Amino acid sequence: MKTIHTIKVLLALAIAGINAVNAQDSLPSWNDTAPKKAIIAFVEKVTKEGSADFVLPAERIATFDNDGTLWAEQPMYFQLFFALHQVKILAPQHPEWKDKEPFASLLKGDVKAALAGGEKAILEIVMATHAGMTTEEFEKSVKDWIATAKHPTTGRPLTEMVYQPMLELLTYLRANGFKTFIVSGGGIEFMRPWTEKVYGIPPEQIVGSSGKTKFEMRDGKPVLVKLPAIDFIDDKEGKPAGINSYIGRRPIAAFGNSDGDLQMLQWTAAGSGQRFCLYVHHTDAEREYAYDRESNIGQLDKGLDEAKAKGWTVVSMKEDWKRIFTYER
Amino acid sequence: MKTIHTIKVLLALAIAGINAVNAQDSLPSWNDTAPKKAIIAFVEKVTKEGSADFVLPAERIATFDNDGTLWAEQPMYFQLFFALHQVKILAPQHPEWKDKEPFASLLKGDVKAALAGGEKAILEIVMATHAGMTTEEFEKSVKDWIATAKHPTTGRPLTEMVYQPMLELLTYLRANGFKTFIVSGGGIEFMRPWTEKVYGIPPEQIVGSSGKTKFEMRDGKPVLVKLPAIDFIDDKEGKPAGINSYIGRRPIAAFGNSDGDLQMLQWTAAGSGQRFCLYVHHTDAEREYAYDRESNIGQLDKGLDEAKAKGWTVVSMKEDWKRIFTYER
């Protein structure tokens, strides 16, 4: 077994060498502005063996928000498109929805009225439409839906409304021994069926909001039934708690785009040694969307101030990204 | 980057080849009885590319109970030794414990009376002694304790009260592309500080029982404070729920030793394709302990019947293991 270990070590060193050479080419969709330089400088510091800043590969944990950080979140969270789809499919089994908000408005096609209840209404819709079935049935419903779901404005598959520069960043970090995680306010079981294919992040590296489940035997076969009860909300103060619960290590790098990510970035920054915190700032009304302090979705207000005060990296999509979505050629 | 990928693939194939040759020598502490043969047959089936039983490496999830499966659990769960240690340290801050069971008995040194309340009393002790501090402080207290904690009968460090054949099994599975997880009724934050060193299993691959935490700022620094409230009990029906929540994939192999693991084994067995379920049966009163259907700790009753009915592998420690603890030479 020693031989295998030696080969592994040699290969790891070889890969590290190749990566170092390729570093500048690993982020081709990033302009050569400050954010790209800051990312590369950080990665080179923590991967340089023998230096005071060196971090063992096992501790190279990087956490990414999903909505608005890895894929778009306008005109509304994509998980809501799924929920609306599910409301229509499930409505015949829920006659009470006709008189109950936010479902009543949704079924009338008035999405705006339904979402007037804010984050709480959203979670209610999500939990109600994500429950009452087994985890396997739910997984199938997500897979079926995402295979054809299109964005209302661009007409592109939602899985192509993904930011190309962030995909490159994920790959670059992994090539440098980082383990990449998603830590999202979105539903954990909503993300897991497709994140491996789209981002290269496996189910066990997804942290998200969740509903309770119940183990039971159906015809002698064990199933987990999804209950209409919230178990955990992975947003704001929930993000460090989710990281502690699911990962059990403090990240050394964290990436977000909203005030919902602020506590995750604070938690990451508060560790010892080199730390990297980055906000994606939606500044490109032409190629994507422009929103921050006043937005209902993905509000970035306190976070923007804190980023400035703490010297965190802020990416201006307009200035710092050559290409935005994966479908652009 | 293509070159790197090619090298990786070639190396993976080379390692796979070496492992196949070494398979028989990877489990030297196992007798050449049925369990060892069943393990090797299973691993060879699911790793044979092109065969109908082949399982992609990403889906080779193996889950292990901890207490009584990877390390001993007699004369009581080792986490309780830690809790007793903590009760003594924390008692001055909790004058009310003097009149409150199970703490009162503990402080008088009457462990038996304290534990008369069963699993519920145990969890109460654990939660009370594991709360009221930050996650970092708690981690340090576990590390400090386990560095010197000894077993009351053998006098050995608790980290050597680990089953050598199971360590070999973990290594053998990982060498064959499996990702190994612990899914234990024990505290997730109690295990994480030492499982990587002892079992080679990193914090993010530990699932266990947990308490709630609260994010707060202390002197401008974010901390997570451990609350005296149970968040999740990872036992019995909780194990499949924990697997679903933390791992998000169904294991293809599961290893336990008690009725507390039964639902995890059922959940594992109920997937499609090749599945492997194993019970460690404590049958060796001389070298370890002998207990099953009547035991208060690690009761194995229903599980033993179901293993027989379903043809699961049952390891008799006495018959199937050459060596038990890692400290035996």
Side-chain angles (χ1 to χ4, degrees), chain B residues 249-271:
Chain B
R249 304 195 213 240
R250 194 190 295 256
I252 65 166
F255 304 83
N257 78 299
S258 78
D259 285 355
D261 304 310
L262 180 56
Q263 287 82 357
M264 172 169 78
L265 270 60
Q266 289 171 333
W267 180 245
T268 300

Side-chain angles (χ1 to χ4, degrees), chain B:
Chain B
M1 298 299 283
K2 265 200 178 139
T3 324
I4 299 169
H5 183 70
T6 310
I7 296 173
K8 276 187 182 166
V9 168
L10 287 174
L11 187 87
L13 292 173
I15 289 176
I18 296 166
N19 286 335
V21 174
N22 282 353
Q24 290 292 333
D25 302 320
S26 297
L27 304 170
S29 300
W30 293 70
N31 285 321
D32 286 323
T33 44
K36 179 174 178 175
K37 286 175 188 159
I39 291 165
I40 294 173
F42 168 74
V43 170
E44 289 181 347
K45 265 184 210 162
V46 298
T47 55
K48 192 176 176 182
E49 280 196 70
S51 94
D53 296 325
F54 180 73
V55 176
L56 287 169
E59 284 160 18
R60 292 180 204 157
I61 304 289
T63 54
F64 289 80
D65 170 56
N66 184 40
D67 299 307
T69 300
L70 295 180
W71 74 353
E73 61 184 352
Q74 299 286 0
M76 62 181 182
Y77 296 126
F78 294 178
Q79 188 170 359
L80 273 175
F81 293 125
F82 171 71
L84 302 190
H85 178 84
Q86 289 294 95
V87 164
K88 281 170 202 159
I89 289 179
L90 299 172
Q93 299 164 42
H94 294 273
E96 76 280 10
W97 284 356
K98 260 182 250 157
D99 307 309
K100 197 187 163 192
E101 289 299 345
F103 306 99
S105 295
L106 274 186
L107 290 170
K108 283 179 213 142
D110 191 348
V111 176
K112 225 174 188 173
L115 303 188
E119 303 263 329
K120 201 149 183 149
I122 291 174
L123 266 155
E124 211 175 317
I125 295 166
V126 169
M127 287 302 155
T129 56
H130 289 47
M133 58 189 99
T134 69
T135 50
E136 286 199 326
E137 288 161 355
F138 181 74
E139 185 184 349
K140 191 183 174 303
S141 73
V142 174
K143 278 187 175 168
D144 288 349
W145 169 80
I146 206 155
T148 60
K150 303 270 193 309
H151 191 267
T153 316
T154 66
R156 292 285 173 171
L158 294 182
T159 50
E160 292 182 12
M161 297 294 294
V162 161
Y163 306 132
Q164 177 64 23
M166 296 305 283
L167 280 192
E168 294 166 6
L169 179 55
L170 285 168
T171 305
Y172 173 60
L173 289 174
R174 289 194 290 259
N176 281 283
F178 281 77
K179 207 164 182 176
T180 54
F181 289 81
I182 287 177
V183 178
S184 167
I188 193 166
E189 295 195 278
F190 169 74
M191 295 183 280
R192 282 173 165 164
W194 52 268
T195 51
E196 186 153 32
K197 202 172 159 190
V198 175
Y199 303 133
I201 302 181
E204 63 270 26
Q205 284 162 229
I206 307 294
V207 183
S209 297
S210 58
K212 291 188 189 292
T213 61
K214 189 176 174 294
F215 179 90
E216 60 181 58
M217 285 288 176
R218 288 189 178 173
D219 305 324
K221 222 195 130 177
V223 293
L224 284 171
V225 180
K226 288 173 67 62
L227 304 177
I230 292 170
D231 184 41
F232 173 61
I233 297 186
D234 191 41
D235 197 35
K236 297 190 171 77
E237 288 82 3
K239 290 207 174 192
I243 289 169
N244 182 62
S245 173
Y246 282 76
I247 310 178
R249 304 195 213 240
R250 194 190 295 256
I252 65 166
F255 304 83
N257 78 299
S258 78
D259 285 355
D261 304 310
L262 180 56
Q263 287 82 357
M264 172 169 78
L265 270 60
Q266 289 171 333
W267 180 245
T268 300
S272 58
Q274 288 291 324
R275 301 279 146 174
F276 191 79
C277 292
L278 181 150
Y279 261 129
V280 173
H281 190 187
H282 294 265
T283 51
D284 197 328
E286 249 173 71
R287 294 186 300 167
E288 206 245 4
Y289 299 90
Y291 58 98
D292 48 31
R293 295 185 190 271
E294 307 291 327
S295 180
N296 283 325
I297 298 167
Q299 182 180 41
L300 179 62
D301 181 35
K302 285 181 198 160
L304 212 49
D305 294 337
E306 185 137 346
K308 205 172 175 182
K310 299 275 174 70
W312 295 343
T313 296
V314 178
V315 167
S316 164
M317 290 174 84
K318 189 171 179 174
E319 316 293 333
D320 299 320
W321 285 358
K322 277 196 188 95
R323 179 179 156 189
I324 298 209
F325 292 115
T326 55
Y327 64 78
E328 299 166 17
R329 303 287 159 199

